[in-house]
Amino acid sequence: MGACLQPLLGDPGLTKHQGELLTGTIRAALPAQVLTDALAAACAAPAAGRGAAHPPAGSGWSEHTVDVLLGVLGGKPVLSAGVLAQLAEACAAAAAAAATGLAASPKFAKLVLSLVRQYLDAAAAAKPALQRAAQACTSFMAKSLLAAVGKL
């Protein structure tokens, strides 16, 4: 499953309509226990060009990727501490990557805040990565995000 989703979720050219279709397909066709695979696929590093180093996971995300991830999290999948840690690291990389423009996105801040609030125990273990993602945020939600991560 992850091998099919990773190229789609890691594509910076993912359009709004493709994202909506992907979200609907994932939520309608996949059982809740498989939603974790969709999130893990988003955390996989994008493919590198021939002879190039692999870019960090999350560096190819766009606003539409964030929409898909929020849609998947809306299905309340059970996440292991390992998957949440991978997702937190990918969020930190996405926020740090200037090309994604996600640091200023309220949707991206909502994604990180969802991880903190829905998965409190696992999020505590991933606090350093979540802290980096929160510190990079510049949207109007930055203060509340930093406060939520600080409480972990």
Side-chain angles (χ1 to χ4, degrees), residues 2 10-11 19 29 31 36 48 66 71 74 84 87 90 92-93 96 107 109-110 112 124 136 146 150:
D11 183 2
T36 303
V66 172
L84 191 119
L87 194 52
K107 287 181 185 178
K110 183 179 176 183
V112 178
L146 281 168

Side-chain angles (χ1 to χ4, degrees), residues 1-114:
M1 179 61 62
C4 295
L5 293 174
Q6 192 281 327
L8 298 171
L9 292 172
D11 183 2
L14 183 70
T15 67
K16 177 182 178 182
H17 300 295
Q18 290 169 330
E20 289 171 356
L21 180 63
L22 187 56
T23 301
T25 302
I26 289 171
R27 290 184 74 174
L30 298 179
Q33 61 268 26
V34 183
L35 293 178
T36 303
D37 290 345
L39 293 171
C43 298
R50 188 172 175 202
H54 284 282
S59 62
W61 288 3
S62 68
E63 186 89 11
H64 306 302
T65 307
V66 172
D67 284 336
V68 173
L69 295 175
L70 283 169
V72 173
L73 285 175
K76 308 258 191 269
V78 176
L79 296 184
S80 68
V83 171
L84 191 119
Q86 287 178 322
L87 194 52
E89 286 293 338
C91 285
T100 65
L102 292 176
S105 168
K107 287 181 185 178
F108 180 75
K110 183 179 176 183
L111 172 66
V112 178
L113 196 56
S114 294

Side-chain angles (χ1 to χ4, degrees), residues 84-85 88 122-134 146 148-152:
L84 191 119
K127 184 177 179 177
L130 292 169
Q131 188 78 37
R132 288 193 312 275
L146 281 168
V149 173
K151 290 179 184 178
L152 290 176

